[in-house]
């Protein structure tokens, strides 16, 4: 039985951030992850840590996660995106999680 794996990056838009520019960066990142096999979704937190956003990637197994992660982090497009994202000042990293689905 395969075990699903989900990676979550929680981030917060900085006060006054241009949300159009931030969402363009998020969409660009999603395209890079999808190119390497991830299922991608983006979430807006509505209760609890209101205002945070969650970039989520899903994989069918740890092996699929590892293959995607290796490919993404070696991809020049991701490296360029990462530099632009940090330099943009549009958001702040809050936390990251790597979770595995348990059979019940």
């Amino acid at each position: 039985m395969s075990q699903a794996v989900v990676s979550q990056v929680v981030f917060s838009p900085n006060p006054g951030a241009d949300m159009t520019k931030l969402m363009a960066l998020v969409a660009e990142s999603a395209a890079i992850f999808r190119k390497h096999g991830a299922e991608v979704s983006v979430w807006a937190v509505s209760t609890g840590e209101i205002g945070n956003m969650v970039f989520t990637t899903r994989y069918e197994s740890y092996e699929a996660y590892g293959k995607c992660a290796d490919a993404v982090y070696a991809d020049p497009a991701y490296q360029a995106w990462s530099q632009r994202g940090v330099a943009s000042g549009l958001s702040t990293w809050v936390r990251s999680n790597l979770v595995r689905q348990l059979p019940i």
Side-chain angles (χ1 to χ4, degrees):
M1 175 179 175
S2 216
Q3 198 172 57
V5 174
V6 173
S7 172
Q8 301 170 320
V9 176
V10 180
F11 62 99
S12 180
N14 288 336
D18 182 329
M19 291 303 291
T20 301
K21 289 179 181 176
L22 178 58
M23 292 310 294
L25 280 170
V26 170
E28 185 180 347
S29 178
I32 294 167
F33 275 87
R34 286 182 180 126
K35 175 175 81 171
H36 294 293
E39 214 178 280
V40 181
S41 57
V42 178
W43 304 78
V45 178
S46 298
T47 61
E49 297 177 334
I50 295 171
N52 282 351
M53 300 179 78
V54 184
F55 183 90
T56 302
T57 55
R58 185 182 184 286
Y59 312 89
E60 292 301 318
S61 66
Y62 273 113
E63 180 181 13
Y65 163 75
K67 285 181 181 178
C68 182
D70 285 348
V72 165
Y73 300 131
D75 188 328
Y78 178 80
Q79 294 166 10
W81 171 88
S82 183
Q83 290 176 349
R84 282 194 322 281
V86 170
S88 75
L90 294 170
S91 66
T92 300
W93 174 86
V94 174
R95 82 179 62 74
S96 298
N97 298 302
L98 183 65
V99 299
R100 59 190 166 84
Q101 185 177 14
L102 300 174
I104 54 171

